Amino acid sequence: MLFERKVAVVSFPGIGSVGKVAVDYLISCTNSRMIMTLPFSGFPPQVLIQEGVARLFTLDVFSPEGREDIILLTSDAQPLEVMGMNRLAGEILSEMREMGVRDVVTLAAYVGAVHENVVGTATDADGVELLKSAGIAVMPSSIIGGMNGIIAGMAPLYGLRGFCILGTTSGERLVDLNAARNLLLSLKNLLQMEIDVSQLEIEEEEEAEEIEAPEAEEYADEDMLYR
């Protein structure tokens, strides 16, 4: 692994569910076990129904089989308010620090005019060089909104180093599996982990049957283009 310290890989739902799908897939393919579930009062006032069972939105923490140097963290929702986002990001980073994590990698989506499938950013120059050594293009000047941006950006406040890796997407699909697959391929190098992405390699005609999301331009005024 290019990281010399314990690393957390984190993602919340965003555009195309790109990062969320990637983390969920990683949890499944690494036979991860849940080690912690955290409630948070700032999540949407709703419950999820799965096979008839209702549950609150929570923050779920997993440990991959055979990889004690990696923590996986995800949720099914982002907080509704900005203050809630900052408060939850602080709680996550504080908990990760207590668990021995020193590097935090968030996964997100990038809607923009770039040729690369994946771009990344880090909170210090050494982190940028680490991304380059893993074959990840450095993100051009931009903004990353939502939890996936805030967690990476706030990491230094807690003595941690933050990264955000973004899969490029058109922003036109509710779920962009190809963008999620590209993120997972970049993680193979970054984490030096075997990840079989064959289940995400779908045919274009299958993708065409998916329900399309609103056009990306509709998100522009809501600071949601980079999540």
Side-chain angles (χ1 to χ4, degrees):
M1 186 167 72
L2 295 178
F3 292 104
E4 297 178 354
R5 309 175 296 184
K6 193 169 186 177
V7 58
V9 180
V10 181
S11 190
F12 284 73
I15 292 176
S17 296
V18 175
K20 168 67 174 170
V21 168
V23 170
D24 285 349
Y25 190 87
L26 196 57
I27 289 168
S28 176
C29 74
T30 59
N31 296 317
S32 297
R33 62 182 179 88
M34 185 183 294
I35 58 176
M36 186 182 304
T37 296
L38 302 173
F40 181 69
S41 61
F43 283 136
Q46 301 168 340
V47 294
L48 286 174
I49 312 297
Q50 294 178 321
E51 297 183 356
V53 178
R55 67 176 181 86
L56 292 171
F57 289 111
T58 58
L59 185 70
D60 300 323
V61 185
F62 297 83
S63 176
E65 184 177 60
R67 293 298 298 266
E68 296 182 359
D69 55 338
I70 298 175
I71 294 292
L72 305 175
L73 186 151
T74 189
S75 179
D76 290 311
Q78 296 203 24
L80 291 175
E81 304 294 337
V82 173
M83 291 302 295
M85 290 185 179
N86 283 276
R87 182 158 59 91
L88 179 56
E91 292 180 9
I92 289 171
L93 292 167
S94 180
E95 187 65 40
M96 293 298 99
R97 181 176 60 188
E98 290 298 314
M99 296 178 70
V101 169
R102 290 298 176 264
D103 292 304
V104 179
V105 179
T106 63
L107 305 181
Y110 183 95
V111 181
V114 295
H115 299 293
E116 295 82 4
N117 290 328
V118 174
V119 294
T121 185
T123 55
D124 64 21
D126 288 342
V128 170
E129 292 304 314
L130 188 150
L131 291 175
K132 291 179 180 178
S133 69
I136 297 173
V138 175
M139 187 179 184
S141 299
S142 191
I143 295 174
I144 306 172
M147 288 297 297
N148 297 321
I150 291 173
I151 291 173
M154 287 179 58
L157 301 179
Y158 292 81
L160 311 178
R161 183 168 56 175
F163 298 81
C164 186
I165 304 174
L166 305 96
T168 58
T169 179
S170 66
E172 297 177 354
R173 298 189 182 280
L174 289 175
V175 180
D176 190 336
L177 296 180
N178 283 335
R181 181 180 69 87
N182 291 333
L183 274 183
L184 289 166
L185 291 174
S186 71
L187 287 180
K188 291 179 68 173
N189 294 330
L190 195 63
L191 302 178
Q192 294 186 354
M193 172 184 283
E194 287 298 321
I195 305 173
D196 180 5
V197 297
S198 59
Q199 293 185 39
L200 289 180
E201 294 175 342
I202 60 175
E203 298 295 331
E204 187 170 351
E205 58 267 24
E206 294 174 335
E207 289 186 336
E209 296 176 359
E210 296 178 7
I211 300 174
E212 292 189 354
E215 294 296 327
E217 287 79 8
E218 295 183 21
Y219 292 113
D221 293 335
E222 302 178 30
D223 191 25
M224 291 178 62
L225 288 183
Y226 310 102
R227 296 178 67 173

